[in-house]
Amino acid sequence: MRNLILILILSFGFFSCQEEVFLDLNTVDPMPVIEAVWTDMGTMNYVKLSKSRDFYEEEDNELIKDATVFIQNLNSGLVVPFRYTEQARRYLPLNNARGRKGDKYRLTVRWKDNEYQSEGLLLHPPKLDSIRYEFKDSRLFREEGYYVTLYGDIPFAENNNYRIRIVRNDTLLNSRNDYLLFDDTFGTSILNNGFELAGFPFRANDRVRLELFRLNRDAFDYLNQLVALLFNDGGLFSPPPQNPASNIRLVSGKTEALGYFMVSPVLIETLVISPDLKTSD
């Protein structure tokens, strides 16, 4: 009994000595952060520019509003200029310009003495045939609710890197648990067999908007690394946090950029969860 009490006292003393430690991180000059999206739907295309901030800063990133931004179709030579809009707080293409499937595009951003570029191919999308949903009771690791399943076909032998964005009742689900990414690691029949959005329970009368993107590999890898960073808790067994590898290169100047350029087709489906219906064709 005496040994047991001694062990308990030692254990209490060990855990009570823990304290939060803040790392003395090096401070670097702000770097431009570029978030660029180019699709075959004009209203979804934009370029957002901001400045990086230190790890412990809580303020929003400062926006960059005086850059020159354009995207060029490398097949046709057509150049699409972007203009900063205060209302959107980002750069938008003139006339809601959009990409064309099968063409390759180059993003160019010029800011101060620096020029940045990135390229991507606007791939063809997979096929979506139908969307079904079914009510499921609560179980271990599963909430009660309606669960959506996508059916379709992926006919491609390569470049199978996908992201699904979910908008529930006009609110984009964008927490670290909401990045739904998948590739062909387990084959290309994932849509043929039915791809259930397992972590996303919905309620009756929810309005659901699904956006399916087919990404180039470098953009897909960036998002995977971003998710890993969001889940990094800085614990003993976590790797040191680091920025995701950008697919944007410095062409001229001295200041590297963070961020990514995503070129992708997009398939959009909208449905309302009705207790009396389970399929949307």
Side-chain angles (χ1 to χ4, degrees), residues 218-219 221-223 225-226 242-248 257-260:
D218 54 1
D221 288 343
Y222 177 91
L223 292 175
Q225 294 172 37
L226 176 62
Q242 59 182 2
N243 294 313
S246 175
N247 64 352
I248 299 172
L258 303 172
Y260 79 121

Side-chain angles (χ1 to χ4, degrees), residues 155-225:
F156 314 112
E158 57 184 4
N159 296 322
N160 288 309
N161 310 292
Y162 300 94
R163 179 188 181 187
I164 295 178
R165 290 202 321 176
I166 302 174
V167 179
R168 179 197 287 130
N169 299 326
D170 298 325
T171 299
L172 173 66
L173 305 185
N174 62 354
S175 73
R176 66 182 186 177
N177 294 300
D178 299 328
Y179 280 82
L180 188 49
L181 305 167
F182 65 97
D183 57 15
D184 56 5
T185 300
F186 301 102
T188 57
S189 60
I190 185 170
L191 292 179
N192 302 87
N193 299 329
F195 181 44
E196 182 183 86
L197 308 185
F200 301 90
F202 298 99
R203 299 182 181 275
N205 301 316
D206 273 352
R207 182 177 178 86
V208 183
R209 172 184 167 107
L210 303 175
E211 302 170 353
L212 174 59
F213 302 87
R214 185 183 177 204
L215 311 178
N216 291 272
R217 187 70 199 190
D218 54 1
F220 182 80
D221 288 343
Y222 177 91
L223 292 175
N224 264 322
Q225 294 172 37

Side-chain angles (χ1 to χ4, degrees), residues 56-276:
Y56 292 120
E57 287 186 11
E58 297 181 357
E59 294 82 5
D60 293 336
N61 294 52
E62 179 185 352
L63 295 178
I64 296 174
K65 305 177 182 181
D66 58 346
T68 299
V69 179
F70 59 89
I71 285 179
Q72 182 178 15
N73 184 320
L74 297 182
N75 294 78
S76 67
L78 177 67
V79 174
V80 177
F82 281 62
R83 179 179 300 165
Y84 181 82
T85 64
E86 198 65 51
Q87 183 177 5
R89 296 170 61 83
R90 60 190 62 190
Y91 295 79
L92 301 178
L94 296 186
N95 302 318
N96 280 335
R98 61 181 180 176
R100 184 171 61 184
K101 301 179 189 70
D103 286 357
K104 190 173 184 179
Y105 292 89
R106 176 189 293 150
L107 166 72
T108 298
V109 175
R110 294 171 181 159
W111 179 62
K112 293 187 175 180
D113 296 326
N114 307 297
E115 180 172 329
Y116 308 95
Q117 289 187 347
S118 184
E119 297 175 2
L121 177 65
L122 208 161
L123 300 162
H124 289 271
K127 299 177 181 178
L128 282 182
D129 297 328
S130 63
I131 302 175
R132 300 174 184 269
Y133 54 88
E134 179 182 4
F135 182 83
K136 295 186 177 182
D137 294 324
S138 175
R139 288 188 179 180
L140 186 63
F141 303 119
R142 188 183 74 190
E143 296 182 34
E144 174 184 281
Y146 291 86
Y147 286 83
V148 173
T149 301
L150 309 181
Y151 291 89
D153 181 58
I154 297 177
F156 314 112
E158 57 184 4
N159 296 322
N160 288 309
N161 310 292
Y162 300 94
R163 179 188 181 187
I164 295 178
R165 290 202 321 176
I166 302 174
V167 179
R168 179 197 287 130
N169 299 326
D170 298 325
T171 299
L172 173 66
L173 305 185
N174 62 354
S175 73
R176 66 182 186 177
N177 294 300
D178 299 328
Y179 280 82
L180 188 49
L181 305 167
F182 65 97
D183 57 15
D184 56 5
T185 300
F186 301 102
T188 57
S189 60
I190 185 170
L191 292 179
N192 302 87
N193 299 329
F195 181 44
E196 182 183 86
L197 308 185
F200 301 90
F202 298 99
R203 299 182 181 275
N205 301 316
D206 273 352
R207 182 177 178 86
V208 183
R209 172 184 167 107
L210 303 175
E211 302 170 353
L212 174 59
F213 302 87
R214 185 183 177 204
L215 311 178
N216 291 272
R217 187 70 199 190
D218 54 1
F220 182 80
D221 288 343
Y222 177 91
L223 292 175
N224 264 322
Q225 294 172 37
L226 176 62
V227 172
L229 178 62
L230 294 175
F231 276 98
N232 190 316
D233 60 3
L236 180 62
F237 300 103
S238 296
Q242 59 182 2
N243 294 313
S246 175
N247 64 352
I248 299 172
R249 66 185 184 277
L250 177 65
V251 176
S252 62
K254 297 181 179 180
T255 306
E256 297 284 347
L258 303 172
Y260 79 121
F261 178 40
M262 186 187 85
V263 180
S264 173
V266 56
L267 295 178
I268 297 177
E269 296 289 342
T270 302
L271 64 148
V272 177
I273 302 296
S274 171
D276 300 323

Side-chain angles (χ1 to χ4, degrees), residues 12-19:
F12 177 79
F14 173 78
F15 287 108
S16 64
C17 289
Q18 297 185 50
E19 62 180 76

